[in-house]
Amino acid sequence: MAKSESVKKVLDFVKENDIKFIDFKFMDFPGQWQHFTIPYTQLESDTFDDGLGFDGSSLRGWKVINESDMLIIPDPDTMFVDPFVEAPTISLICDVYEPATKEKYSRCPRNIAQKAEAYLKSTGLADTVYFGPEAEFFIFDDVRFDSKPNGAFYSIDSQEGRWNTGRDEGPNLGYKPRYKEGYFPVPPTDSLMDIRNEMVLNLMDVGIDVEAQHHEVASGGQCEIDLKFQPLLKAADQLLTFKYVVKNTARLNYKTVTYMPKPIMGDNGSGMHVHTSLWKDGKPLFAGNGYAGLSEMGLYYIGGILKHAPALLALTNPITNSYRRLVPGFEAPVRLAYSQSNRSAAVRIPMFSSSPKAKRVEFRCPDPSANPYLAFSAIMMAGLDGIMNRIDPGDPLDRDIYDMSPEELQNVPSTPESLGAALKNLADDHEFLLKGDVFTEDVINTWINYKIDKEIKPMALQPHPYEFALYYDV
């Protein structure tokens, strides 16, 4: 649909449905949606060309105060009715621009995703890259945390948490998933069926295709809602809309949702397994006669992901908590290998269907704390580098990696052990991201410096509560 037609559709919708407010949503650098709102009387067709101004110096990782003016320009094709605002309101996802030049801001994550899609087409290898993220999350009943100079703590709770089997709940009915056994008993052990259904209905109401919902492995409220795959930019837009809908649906039910990957010690963390495939002229390119029914292109795509994975994780697993999930024993993929059906490998080729259209690659390392515009773009760029340079992924690893001896695993590389290590890998290996000007040196350097200054260094300075258990009596 031409932009003028899409704009007219938005303006007509506002008028015909008595919409009172327009909410503009856009992405900051680390990966959180931001927004501001105008009354319907201020929305004009020119808004979609001229944009609206805001203070870029107040957003993380962006402008300094003496260069703070920025513009957002809404994408009319992203309109949805916001179900969580009392007054009739539509939401529009926006791109960020430099006001002086009217060029897209180089650090705008959505701009990076758009450049990634354009670069893919320019290569002639494919014209569409699809992504299907599976973002797991926890639903809690209560969360409290604090960090002060003289103390720090966190406390989370869930009525279905296994740790509450002995609590006086007046009465305690005892149906609480065992640790690592939340996948997936029926109600009443699965106590979150109704709220997940409500989340699914709200997602469908905002135009998102949902494939399934279910409880996940961990006790204490771990869940998953699967979305239908979409082209890169739309998949990232929908993932952010998904997180917005899920969090706000939980809040309306007096519950809280987190996409932090490892909130519970000793149980499975939340991953975001990312399914991806290349298509051209409406035909899938990963189906063939090779291992697990893959084409040569599909295998080289895997080779690129595995080669660059230590650097990729700085973008796909971008917080310090990410690396508390990437440890052996909790179904987390800590070895950089590939396999069909094997969920202990970093890259898996799902075998649910023999249809060429279903042939895809599943990168299992990422988690839902990632900025999807950056993460999806980086995964695609790594895969394309593998195709262009014919990177052999090596032999598949079809055994259960967790049962292999240290000697057997000696030649199987591991994921980075910390965010700092991943950032070091990104600093050393990011040329593949710069092709087509998809990422820039400024974006890479700003990302690395922001993560070090705002997350790694503060964490290093804060005494950990467990250190008192270990060392207080030294």
Side-chain angles (χ1 to χ4, degrees), residues 385-459:
D385 189 64
I387 295 169
M388 292 175 176
N389 291 293
R390 302 177 69 85
I391 297 174
D392 187 343
D395 294 329
L397 192 58
D398 290 327
R399 293 177 56 189
D400 184 347
I401 295 173
Y402 301 133
D403 285 342
M404 294 174 65
S405 68
E407 292 75 22
E408 292 173 308
L409 289 170
Q410 195 169 13
N411 296 319
V412 183
S414 299
T415 55
E417 294 183 353
S418 68
L419 177 58
L423 292 170
K424 174 65 166 60
N425 287 317
L426 179 61
D428 294 339
D429 176 27
H430 62 262
E431 288 296 322
F432 70 99
L433 296 172
L434 304 180
K435 293 177 181 178
D437 196 41
V438 174
F439 289 78
T440 64
E441 288 283 2
D442 172 69
V443 166
I444 298 296
N445 291 334
T446 301
W447 181 264
I448 292 171
N449 293 332
Y450 179 90
K451 289 289 174 178
I452 291 173
D453 292 341
K454 301 297 185 182
E455 298 177 29
I456 292 176
K457 286 183 177 178
M459 279 286 291

Side-chain angles (χ1 to χ4, degrees), residues 70-294:
M70 304 192 80
L71 287 176
I72 55 165
I73 296 181
D75 181 342
D77 291 326
T78 64
M79 179 185 70
F80 66 89
V81 177
D82 195 317
F84 306 106
V85 182
E86 185 175 347
T89 300
I90 61 166
S91 284
L92 293 164
I93 301 174
C94 304
D95 297 308
V96 181
Y97 286 75
E98 296 276 13
T101 62
K102 286 298 283 287
E103 294 180 348
K104 289 183 178 178
Y105 183 40
S106 63
R107 294 184 195 172
C108 172
R110 198 168 190 264
N111 174 36
I112 292 169
Q114 291 165 331
K115 289 193 293 181
E117 289 190 322
Y119 173 68
L120 173 65
K121 293 178 181 177
S122 76
T123 67
L125 294 169
D127 53 36
T128 306
V129 58
Y130 285 108
F131 282 92
E134 300 173 351
E136 298 165 347
F137 56 94
F138 279 88
I139 302 175
F140 293 132
D141 294 299
D142 184 64
V143 56
R144 291 172 289 123
F145 52 89
D146 203 355
S147 181
K148 299 180 289 188
N150 67 325
F153 82 96
Y154 73 91
S155 177
I156 54 179
D157 206 4
S158 166
Q159 187 172 353
E160 69 161 44
R162 190 67 179 179
W163 55 86
N164 281 325
T165 55
R167 184 172 68 176
D168 182 2
E169 295 181 344
N172 188 326
L173 301 180
Y175 294 111
K176 303 179 192 300
R178 297 179 184 90
Y179 298 112
K180 296 190 179 185
E181 294 186 23
Y183 186 89
F184 24 52
V186 298
T189 302
D190 176 6
S191 67
L192 300 169
M193 177 72 169
D194 287 335
I195 191 172
R196 288 198 307 273
N197 281 342
E198 186 178 341
M199 290 169 177
V200 169
L201 292 174
N202 286 336
L203 287 166
M204 293 169 66
D205 284 345
V206 300
I208 293 179
D209 288 333
V210 177
E211 292 187 335
Q213 61 90 345
H214 58 83
H215 204 286
E216 256 299 341
V217 175
S219 181
Q222 191 181 36
C223 297
E224 178 176 316
I225 299 174
D226 295 332
L227 311 181
K228 186 177 180 180
F229 64 89
Q230 300 290 349
L232 190 157
L233 181 65
K234 188 172 182 179
D237 284 344
Q238 287 201 350
L239 182 61
L240 296 168
T241 307
F242 162 76
K243 294 173 76 171
Y244 177 78
V245 168
V246 167
K247 287 180 178 180
N248 279 284
T249 304
R251 186 174 181 272
L252 290 177
N253 286 272
Y254 303 100
K255 294 183 183 291
T256 177
V257 159
T258 183
Y259 289 91
M260 189 171 81
K262 191 74 170 185
I264 297 176
M265 184 184 75
D267 211 338
N268 285 32
S270 294
M272 184 176 71
H273 308 147
V274 177
H275 298 252
T276 176
S277 62
L278 295 178
W279 290 55
K280 187 174 183 178
D281 298 328
K283 297 179 180 179
L285 301 180
F286 281 2
N289 299 317
Y291 174 79
L294 282 174

